Amino acid sequence: MATSSGIGSAAEDRLRQIQSITDTALSLMTSEDLLSELLERLREILDVDTAVVLLVDSSRTRLVATAAKGIEEEVRQRVVVPVGQGFAGRVAAERKPVQLQTVDSAHVVNPLLVQRGLHSLLGVPLVAEGELVGVLHVGKFNPRHFTDHEIALLQLAADRAAQAARSLTMGAERAAAGALQQSLVPTALPHIPGVEMAARYSPGASTVGGDWYDVFTLPSGELGVVMGDVAGHGLNAAVVMGRMRSALRAYALETSDPAAVLDKLDRKMQHFEPGAIATVAYAVCHPRLEWARIASAGHWPPVLSVPDGPSDTVDLRSGVLIGIDPDPRRDVATVEIPAGAVLCFYTDGLIERRDVPIDTNLRRLCEAVVPGPPERVCAEVMLSLIGREIVADDVALLTLRRRDSQPPTT
């Protein structure tokens, strides 16, 4: 067992075991089990009473207690430490080992460390691929000075565990973002007499983003149609998307002017979500889709395909993105939709590729959108624009068709 004077052969054997575990972490055990086992072995190697891992949250401004040994209540109480404040916050901000010989309220943010009687602390940063993942710290109830050798050992263990910790964080965020995204994208489109609809949502290859679509009926009987894309990826983008979706629905009940709805949404986002940026297209449509009034906040225009005519993007000024201009002005385009015509909304993940000119993919999209059943149109669009390609960005697609004939009235 290690002592404050150095590390014996037994400790070095335990270190080799830690290295073996962390080297094969992804194949042999879950990230949670790895961290738990790592902390337990570090307590033995360094002869310490507590060992804790705090991970950076999605805001990148806080550390959250995620795994602990000897002071498990840190995790149960969901201890949070701001980056830059207190002991762990200082380790995160400076990204270097920090040793604390006296634990008191002047040096730590978490009062639990003082209440438990910890006397000495040693913390090191968890860094994976140049990115701060969290902080690993150990503590002793008795006075203890950690040697350079012990500091190096703890940092080595932290470096070995950082990738597993990063996988744990990313996995949790991906799962949360995916669950949130799925809960907010309609599981079933509404049944509207005289209108057929179909939709697709495909998450990007890297992580879930902030794409969404929505269809709802308004008190007037008109139809609200939304296609939006929040800048960014992961949990933050999904959370912002959820708030935007709810806010837009609320503003849609106040006015039938789509530009006014987007302006209200923009004002709300700039006040409560400063820094958030998004594109949104919002249409208020005739109950049977005979026409649509469409406004855009920087979003790509929908494609209109009419029987016996060409398919093309709607002549629509894109307007200012959400979150950019404190005094935006957006226009409304009114589009006549003949019987049998198809109106197709989409997000940029469908058409934007680094190696393909945007005009090329817009032309392919227009060629794929033809008058016909929306399910078939969606399938053709996805086949033409996605195919077998692994797309980095999210893709959302919504197709509406005005039926050729209406049922007789009685």
Side-chain angles (χ1 to χ4, degrees), residues 60-71:
R60 313 296 303 169
T61 63
R62 307 188 309 169
L63 299 165
V64 181
T66 304
K69 292 293 182 181
I71 191 167

Side-chain angles (χ1 to χ4, degrees), residues 21-74:
I21 288 174
T22 54
D23 282 342
T24 56
L26 295 180
S27 61
L28 295 181
M29 60 175 58
T30 66
S31 298
E32 294 93 333
D33 290 342
L34 168 66
L35 293 179
S36 177
E37 180 69 15
L38 172 67
L39 295 183
E40 191 58 58
R41 296 193 177 195
L42 280 172
R43 289 177 70 195
E44 297 180 24
I45 293 170
L46 293 175
D47 188 25
V48 292
D49 300 302
T50 65
V52 179
V53 167
L54 301 98
L55 298 183
V56 178
D57 71 359
S58 59
S59 72
R60 313 296 303 169
T61 63
R62 307 188 309 169
L63 299 165
V64 181
T66 304
K69 292 293 182 181
I71 191 167
E72 287 80 2
E73 55 267 43
E74 273 218 33

Side-chain angles (χ1 to χ4, degrees), residues 395-410:
V395 173
L397 176 66
L398 175 64
T399 300
L400 304 95
R401 179 195 187 197
R402 179 184 168 189
R403 287 181 180 165
D404 293 305
S405 60
Q406 308 299 336
T409 58
T410 58

Side-chain angles (χ1 to χ4, degrees), residues 198-273:
R200 296 286 190 277
Y201 170 74
S202 176
S206 55
T207 183
V208 176
D211 290 20
W212 93 97
Y213 62 88
D214 200 5
V215 182
F216 47 82
T217 55
L218 297 166
S220 63
E222 295 170 320
L223 191 64
V225 178
V226 185
M227 183 63 70
D229 184 1
V230 177
H233 298 281
L235 185 57
N236 276 348
V239 168
V240 172
M241 177 270 287
R243 292 171 180 160
M244 289 189 67
R245 176 183 182 270
S246 297
L248 191 150
R249 280 190 163 205
Y251 296 136
L253 296 177
E254 297 180 359
T255 175
S256 60
D257 181 349
V261 170
L262 292 182
D263 289 347
K264 289 174 179 287
L265 176 65
D266 199 353
R267 185 163 57 249
K268 181 265 184 189
M269 296 304 295
Q270 291 193 49
H271 182 77
F272 291 106
E273 308 278 352

Side-chain angles (χ1 to χ4, degrees), residues 61-235:
T61 63
R62 307 188 309 169
L63 299 165
V64 181
T66 304
K69 292 293 182 181
I71 191 167
E72 287 80 2
E73 55 267 43
E74 273 218 33
V75 177
R76 290 195 290 268
Q77 295 177 19
R78 197 66 174 173
V79 167
V80 173
V81 177
V83 172
Q85 298 184 28
F87 169 70
R90 178 185 166 193
V91 175
E94 296 180 0
R95 294 198 183 192
K96 65 181 183 181
V98 174
Q99 187 168 179
L100 195 62
Q101 298 298 326
T102 302
V103 177
D104 55 39
S105 57
H107 296 93
V108 299
V109 171
N110 178 17
L112 183 61
L113 300 178
V114 178
Q115 293 171 4
R116 286 295 306 276
L118 282 167
H119 195 286
S120 305
L121 290 171
L122 171 63
V124 295
L126 290 168
V127 179
E129 299 177 5
E131 179 182 355
L132 178 70
V133 177
V135 168
L136 167 62
H137 69 69
V138 295
K140 189 75 175 174
F141 292 130
N142 300 322
R144 170 77 170 274
H145 174 76
F146 293 96
T147 67
D148 291 343
H149 200 169
E150 291 169 332
I151 294 172
L153 187 154
L154 187 64
Q155 186 63 73
L156 176 61
D159 293 342
R160 297 280 182 169
Q163 189 60 51
R166 185 169 185 264
S167 297
L168 180 62
T169 300
M170 292 178 63
E173 286 192 7
R174 187 180 298 111
L180 179 59
Q181 181 101 45
Q182 292 300 321
S183 71
L184 295 175
V185 172
T187 55
L189 296 171
H191 175 71
I192 308 295
V195 181
E196 298 174 354
M197 289 178 277
R200 296 286 190 277
Y201 170 74
S202 176
S206 55
T207 183
V208 176
D211 290 20
W212 93 97
Y213 62 88
D214 200 5
V215 182
F216 47 82
T217 55
L218 297 166
S220 63
E222 295 170 320
L223 191 64
V225 178
V226 185
M227 183 63 70
D229 184 1
V230 177
H233 298 281
L235 185 57

